[in-house]
Amino acid sequence: MPTKNLTAETFESTVTATGIVLVDFWAAWCGPCRAFAPVFESASNRHRDVVFAKVDTEAEPELSAANRITSIPMLMVFRDGVLVYSQPGALPTPQLELLIQKARELDMDEVHRQLAQRTA
């Protein structure tokens, strides 16, 4: 599945959808972002049930600010509308594959329980 370009208008509906969503915050001038792009794109072709999305931080500065992006590339992983991973840095293929596997293995009932405990 090709990657989706997210905007302020499409971000929320994409990351709150059911399933796994990976979001790469990037910029054209960023060398590590350009190095990570083919890794991200290749993974999107292998994992067709996962949504792979990109946010151009130059084109979407308000969206970047709203998500507190201070370093790029920044990878966020959402599962069933819950942010489960957020770290800056380009990942090599094996680490990205492991991250996707771990997102698949999450017990979302337990994640929701932990979130409820934190907010209580």
Side-chain angles (χ1 to χ4, degrees), residues 85-96:
Y85 177 89
S86 179
Q87 291 290 318
L91 297 177
T93 298
Q95 286 182 324
L96 183 57

Side-chain angles (χ1 to χ4, degrees), residues 54-85:
K54 297 178 83 63
V55 175
D56 181 346
T57 57
E58 294 293 304
E60 298 292 334
E62 296 85 12
L63 184 54
S64 299
N67 284 281
R68 298 185 179 109
I69 305 303
T70 58
S71 181
I72 55 174
M74 170 67 78
L75 183 62
M76 292 183 168
V77 179
F78 296 84
R79 167 94 188 264
D80 298 336
V82 176
L83 178 63
V84 295
Y85 177 89

Side-chain angles (χ1 to χ4, degrees), residues 9 35 37 54 57 60-61 93 97 100 109 112 117:
E9 292 77 31
K54 297 178 83 63
T57 57
E60 298 292 334
T93 298
E97 290 295 322
I100 293 167
D109 289 335
H112 287 290
Q117 287 176 350

Side-chain angles (χ1 to χ4, degrees), residues 38-61:
V39 172
F40 194 74
E41 188 70 33
S42 179
S44 76
N45 291 324
R46 284 191 301 280
H47 300 279
R48 297 192 176 272
D49 60 322
V50 175
V51 175
F52 287 79
K54 297 178 83 63
V55 175
D56 181 346
T57 57
E58 294 293 304
E60 298 292 334

